[in-house]
Amino acid sequence: MSALVGVKRVIDYAQRIRVRADKKGVETANVKMSMNPFDEIAVEEALRLKEKGHVKEVVAFTMGPTQSSQILLTALAMGADRGIHVVTDFEIESIHVAKALKKVVELEKPGVVILGKQAIDGDANQTGQYLAGLLNCSIATNASVVEKDGDSYKVTREIDGGLQTLKISSPAVITADLRLNEPRFATLPNIMKAKKKPVDKKTPEELGLTLKAHVETLKVEEPPTRQAGKKLESVDELVENLKKLGMI
Amino acid sequence: MFLKNGVKSLSSVSSTFKLNGKGVNRSYFEPSFQRNPKFSKINSKDVNHFKEILGKSGVLTLEEDPDGVASYNTDWMKKYKGNGTLVLRPKTTEQVSQILKYANERKLAVVPQGGNTGLVGGSVPVFDEIVISTQLMNQIEDLDDVSGIVTCQSGVVLANLESYLHSKGFTVPLDLGAKGSCQIGGNVATNAGGVRLLRYGSLHGSVLGVEAVLADGTIVDCATKLRKDNTGYDIKQLFIGSEGTLGIITKVVILTPPRPESVNVAFFALDSFEDVKKLFVRTKKELGEILSAFEFVDRGSIDIVVKHSKTGARDPFEDKHPFYVLIETSGSNKQHDEEKLNHFLEQLLSEEDGLVKDGTVAQQTQQIQSLWALRESVPEALQREGAVYKYDISIPLSNFYQIVELMRERIGSKGTVIGYGHIGDSNLHLNITTPSFDQSAYDLIEPFVYEFTSKHRGSISAEHGIGVMKPKVLHYSKSEPAVDVMRRIKESLDPNGILNPYKVLPGK
């Protein structure tokens, strides 16, 4: 029984984001790209399940252009056993990823699918939910604790009111939240071995998918620049300024 | 008290510490000398005069802001605390000149202060000296984007200078753990070293110009933007590393290198110091021009960081090892650097019973920061551990870790001894902690550490400077004639001795 983990190539979280000149997106040329941080946590959780003997192998999945293979390499360097890369230059949305994942699940039949709760570029927080809907299987999102309980999973979720613990049956989709774990450093031997691990490349057509855009980006803008504040010497001056601005 | 011929009695070397009452593990340095009576005491006329020069917001007095003034009087380690009652915060070189002219005439002692992150008590008053803070002199004035030469006021925070330069495609040729608070003027005044000295050299090389104000208010403008300028004595070199005793630095001109496009960090575990040295030789040879940092931390350092970390720092590997090395590469071509690094790593890993027992390479920026944190958070973690006795020495690599082992034997169960630092520059940060200040432990450390250093022709202060902590032990690394030349320069540039008195130079 395997664990399938989804990883996405996104702009490194520490990079400064610049809007493209055509205002249709953000600048990605010559910008450092990394694995989505929540996906890193997902990979770590899958590896821990393997170490505890609950799954036999960890399969890393990504969907994106050729460069996305770098991100698969990172997952393999952390300890994943093999990778699946659905190669496409299409501007994919969560629903496309979910449909591709569904096809892979039908082929691989994993016991559990672990995804990051959302990607730091789109912040959609939808892929896991779409996938569970398409598969008609159980799902627990925003997981902060995952435990195997016989054939089921006991998952603690971080929700608005606090913590909720669910018992869900396998096969299940789990999406990882920040406090689920601290991802390991990839050790040198694994980094070296990563290049030799098998990666299966597929096109969307081979999976029987036709990709169609559901969303059109009209415009991307930077948030308004912060105006410099003004330091005032006394309360009287403050009142005077507030009056001038018509605020009191 | 201060003996000339290198013959010293223990009492002249040790300092006494007084428990400050607030928590047993903190004690403040008590000077073994008196306040020099030649300095005047501040009166209300002086305060009003400064208020006229700087405006109300440029002057902090003890009556009006006791907590504020107290913070300027205490150093980062909470080891040195002065009793100053006045803090001045000029915004321009002209204001600094006016302040000093007046102070010199009145014979009022002053302490120039930047980010107050110094580690030898050089940035705070010993008695009632006036603090002159450069924190409001924070303008970056000019960047020539062809040459990379940047001009800025001395109060620019290092991290801010780095952000600015980074956005323009350059980088500061200097980096240290205190970057969020330290100011470039202070860095220059202390000739700060840091983690990139290995790659970019010292500030004596990368600083092209300095504008400073002398004790009598004279503005000495050597803030030229020239790479080559052999016109007489190179005065700016005097100010670099003078720790505020020859003039107050008001402006700095630095040659900045292009920002590296590709940065990689690798972290290794090794089982012996001999292996660390061998790794250093191989790294220099195989990574060559892309090597930008080679730092080490010992097991004890990692233990302390992990114990006190507020950011979840943890052991990088499953097994514990006695030594760890952090290697950073910086270059202009990602592919080239990665190939070089991977080749180097493959070699290391393919060896039977190799030098490196475990290792990792950062896969993303977050990991680069986590790995650096394992090295850079040691000083902060030490502060939380207890009383800290901090030593910064240059020592030949052949005896480098020996002093750590010797001190561990001497200290025994009284405390913990750790070593870490810029091994690439032969600079060891030896740190000892005890739960609270322990005179018997202290007596086992000094003068032993200094004597060991002197015996191996090392430096008793590789990069931290002398401050108020080390004037008495300066003779371990500098001959009397050399110190005498320093005194003559000091006397001619600051005859009243108002600039940072009691610091750097030992009394005659």
Side-chain angles (χ1 to χ4, degrees):
Chain A
M1 227 245 304
S2 60
L4 180 66
V5 186
V7 295
K8 184 179 181 186
R9 177 176 180 260
V10 298
I11 296 180
D12 187 288
Y13 99 107
Q15 295 291 301
R16 215 148 142 231
I17 307 293
R18 266 173 249 277
V19 174
R20 259 188 1 226
D22 64 1
K23 295 220 170 172
K24 289 282 186 182
V26 297
E27 199 58 73
T28 51
N30 288 325
V31 172
K32 187 167 165 71
M33 308 292 277
S34 301
M35 188 189 291
N36 181 36
F38 294 109
D39 299 349
E40 234 194 316
I41 295 172
V43 174
E44 174 63 29
E45 198 58 28
L47 292 171
R48 290 188 189 187
L49 285 175
K50 180 179 167 192
E51 279 157 8
K52 291 189 193 130
H54 298 310
V55 299
K56 278 243 166 64
E57 64 167 356
V58 175
V59 183
F61 164 97
T62 195
M63 185 166 175
T66 355
Q67 300 97 310
S68 289
S69 59
Q70 266 300 109
I71 301 310
L72 267 188
L73 261 183
T74 307
L76 296 171
M78 282 174 75
D81 299 289
R82 59 188 168 87
I84 298 175
H85 183 178
V86 178
V87 190
T88 175
D89 286 321
F90 195 78
E91 223 170 292
I92 49 178
E93 301 154 28
S94 312
I95 186 65
H96 303 132
V97 180
K99 286 185 174 171
L101 273 167
K102 172 172 182 266
K103 296 285 181 181
V104 171
V105 167
E106 284 162 1
L107 291 168
E108 294 277 333
K109 300 196 187 13
V112 65
V113 180
I114 312 182
L115 307 173
K117 71 170 180 182
Q118 65 197 60
I120 58 171
D121 51 7
D123 273 340
N125 199 320
Q126 294 171 352
T127 309
Q129 292 88 324
Y130 275 137
L131 178 62
L134 291 169
L135 291 172
N136 199 26
C137 71
S138 28
I139 174 165
T141 61
N142 302 55
S144 62
V145 182
V146 171
E147 284 163 338
K148 194 100 195 298
D149 186 3
D151 277 335
S152 314
Y153 286 93
K154 222 163 89 179
V155 181
T156 304
R157 305 177 57 225
E158 293 197 359
I159 58 173
D160 285 341
L163 299 171
Q164 179 197 56
T165 308
L166 297 177
K167 187 165 167 180
I168 55 177
S169 56
S170 177
V173 174
I174 300 176
T175 72
D177 207 332
L178 193 62
R179 279 164 281 275
L180 178 55
N181 60 48
E182 281 229 37
R184 63 194 59 188
F185 289 108
T187 60
L188 280 181
N190 272 331
I191 294 170
M192 298 290 118
K193 277 191 237 158
K195 293 190 201 127
K196 305 197 182 85
K197 292 185 181 173
V199 173
D200 195 6
K201 290 203 188 210
K202 293 194 201 298
T203 62
E205 292 74 40
E206 281 167 8
L207 285 176
L209 292 169
T210 4
L211 300 177
K212 190 178 62 176
H214 299 282
V215 173
E216 185 197 339
T217 303
L218 297 174
K219 190 167 64 172
V220 176
E221 272 178 339
E222 287 208 10
T225 38
R226 206 167 146 219
Q227 297 298 316
K230 202 170 141 199
K231 253 191 176 153
L232 304 168
E233 296 285 316
S234 70
V235 177
D236 292 328
E237 225 192 303
L238 174 64
V239 172
E240 201 189 302
N241 273 274
L242 288 174
K243 281 194 182 149
K244 264 196 231 158
L245 290 167
M247 301 187 107
I248 51 169
Chain B
M1 257 227 295
F2 303 92
L3 302 166
K4 265 202 191 188
N5 305 319
V7 174
K8 44 223 161 279
S9 76
L10 271 180
S11 62
S12 77
V13 167
S14 73
S15 315
T16 56
F17 285 82
K18 179 175 84 169
L19 292 172
N20 72 353
K22 264 194 210 160
V24 186
N25 61 353
R26 285 271 175 262
S27 54
Y28 288 120
F29 167 84
E30 277 252 309
S32 52
F33 46 85
Q34 306 283 14
R35 178 189 184 282
N36 195 322
K38 73 174 177 183
F39 297 128
S40 309
K41 300 227 167 153
I42 304 168
N43 58 37
S44 52
K45 240 183 85 184
D46 299 322
V47 177
N48 290 332
H49 187 88
F50 291 129
K51 282 188 178 168
E52 269 170 52
I53 301 174
L54 301 175
K56 268 201 86 193
S57 59
V59 177
L60 301 178
T61 65
L62 190 65
E63 301 91 57
E64 290 160 4
D65 188 358
D67 290 328
V69 170
S71 71
Y72 287 88
N73 271 270
T74 316
D75 81 319
W76 179 79
M77 295 182 294
K78 304 223 185 327
K79 199 167 173 181
Y80 300 95
K81 189 177 193 329
N83 296 310
T85 58
L86 188 62
V87 176
L88 303 178
R89 306 190 307 165
K91 287 196 178 131
T92 65
T93 306
E94 188 49 50
Q95 284 177 345
V96 174
S97 169
Q98 287 177 38
I99 296 171
L100 283 180
K101 182 164 190 291
Y102 181 83
N104 190 43
E105 278 161 15
R106 276 277 293 135
K107 294 207 174 57
L108 293 167
V110 306
V111 175
Q113 185 181 100
N116 199 5
T117 55
L119 298 171
V120 287
S123 54
V124 294
V126 181
F127 301 104
D128 60 347
E129 301 91 273
I130 301 172
V131 172
I132 300 182
S133 165
T134 50
Q135 73 185 129
L136 296 182
M137 298 176 65
N138 57 12
Q139 296 304 304
I140 298 174
E141 295 186 358
D142 177 67
L143 169 67
D144 179 331
D145 54 18
V146 172
S147 61
I149 296 175
V150 69
T151 306
C152 59
Q153 286 188 302
S154 51
V156 173
V157 171
L158 187 62
N160 293 347
L161 183 59
E162 174 64 15
S163 288
Y164 171 80
L165 287 173
H166 191 88
S167 67
K168 306 279 182 199
F170 295 95
T171 186
V172 191
L174 167 78
D175 193 13
L176 51 159
K179 61 186 140 223
S181 310
C182 65
Q183 295 167 16
I184 191 67
N187 292 142
V188 173
T190 54
N191 189 30
V195 300
R196 302 253 158 73
L197 191 131
L198 183 79
R199 168 72 166 253
Y200 297 122
S202 97
L203 287 175
H204 279 293
S206 43
V207 170
L208 300 183
V210 165
E211 176 197 71
V213 181
L214 300 179
D216 66 2
T218 308
I219 300 173
V220 178
D221 182 2
C222 288
T224 42
K225 304 176 194 184
L226 305 168
R227 193 77 178 78
K228 301 171 80 168
D229 180 16
N230 285 347
T231 50
Y233 305 154
D234 195 3
I235 309 267
K236 66 175 187 289
Q237 299 296 351
L238 270 180
F239 295 116
I240 301 173
S242 62
E243 302 183 47
T245 57
L246 296 179
I248 297 188
I249 296 174
T250 48
K251 204 184 287 194
V252 170
V253 180
I254 306 182
L255 176 65
T256 68
R259 178 189 78 206
E261 291 307 312
S262 154
V263 176
N264 286 297
V265 171
F267 205 81
F268 299 117
L270 301 100
D271 279 345
S272 79
F273 196 72
E274 274 310 304
D275 286 344
V276 172
K277 285 195 282 185
K278 287 186 192 151
L279 180 64
F280 181 48
V281 174
R282 288 194 48 187
T283 307
K284 276 191 290 182
K285 194 157 164 238
E286 293 177 47
L287 295 182
E289 72 286 359
I290 63 169
L291 182 64
S292 54
F294 191 96
E295 297 283 313
F296 104 107
V297 283
D298 65 5
R299 182 66 230 166
S301 309
I302 302 257
D303 284 335
I304 290 187
V305 168
V306 169
K307 180 174 166 192
H308 296 286
S309 173
K310 305 261 184 245
T311 52
R314 62 222 148 96
D315 240 294
F317 309 117
E318 266 187 47
D319 297 320
K320 297 190 187 208
H321 294 270
F323 298 101
Y324 297 86
V325 167
L326 183 151
I327 292 176
E328 184 192 72
T329 69
S330 302
S332 55
N333 185 313
K334 192 164 180 283
Q335 218 180 328
H336 166 265
D337 288 6
E338 278 176 9
E339 250 179 67
K340 234 176 162 125
L341 185 58
N342 283 332
H343 181 78
F344 179 56
L345 297 173
E346 270 162 32
Q347 297 257 314
L348 284 176
L349 284 176
S350 62
E351 284 154 18
E352 277 283 318
D353 197 25
L355 290 179
V356 165
K357 297 297 177 242
D358 209 340
T360 182
V361 177
Q363 301 293 310
Q364 34 212 41
T365 317
Q366 167 84 19
Q367 288 184 352
I368 291 183
Q369 290 165 358
S370 310
L371 291 173
W372 264 116
L374 288 172
R375 157 65 183 89
E376 291 193 317
S377 347
V378 186
E380 218 182 292
L382 281 167
Q383 288 297 110
R384 299 201 187 109
E385 179 74 4
V388 182
Y389 314 80
K390 196 177 278 291
Y391 299 89
D392 160 49
I393 56 179
S394 276
I395 204 92
L397 281 182
S398 44
N399 309 96
F400 200 78
Y401 202 68
Q402 208 188 345
I403 182 63
V404 179
E405 288 163 342
L406 283 171
M407 278 319 308
R408 224 169 251 154
E409 258 180 64
R410 285 171 73 86
I411 292 288
S413 55
K414 289 190 206 280
T416 312
V417 179
I418 65 168
Y420 61 93
H422 317 289
I423 189 173
D425 309 319
S426 267
N427 176 193
L428 173 72
H429 289 313
L430 168 70
N431 280 257
I432 297 132
T433 61
T434 53
S436 59
F437 179 72
D438 182 341
Q439 186 69 43
S440 66
Y442 184 71
D443 291 337
L444 288 169
I445 305 170
E446 293 193 26
F448 185 80
V449 170
Y450 297 129
E451 284 172 352
F452 179 91
T453 307
S454 180
K455 189 169 85 182
H456 296 283
R457 299 246 175 80
S459 166
I460 49 107
S461 188
E463 59 179 3
H464 292 171
I466 301 297
V468 75
M469 182 185 170
K470 298 181 191 176
K472 288 182 196 151
V473 295
L474 190 50
H475 65 86
Y476 279 105
S477 293
K478 280 280 189 326
S479 67
E480 190 53 34
V483 177
D484 210 51
V485 171
M486 294 186 215
R487 283 198 193 103
R488 281 153 68 180
I489 295 173
K490 168 74 171 172
E491 273 160 38
S492 80
L493 289 182
D494 180 15
N496 290 331
I498 62 162
L499 293 175
N500 223 1
Y502 320 111
K503 315 265 174 73
V504 184
L505 295 176
K508 286 226 225 335

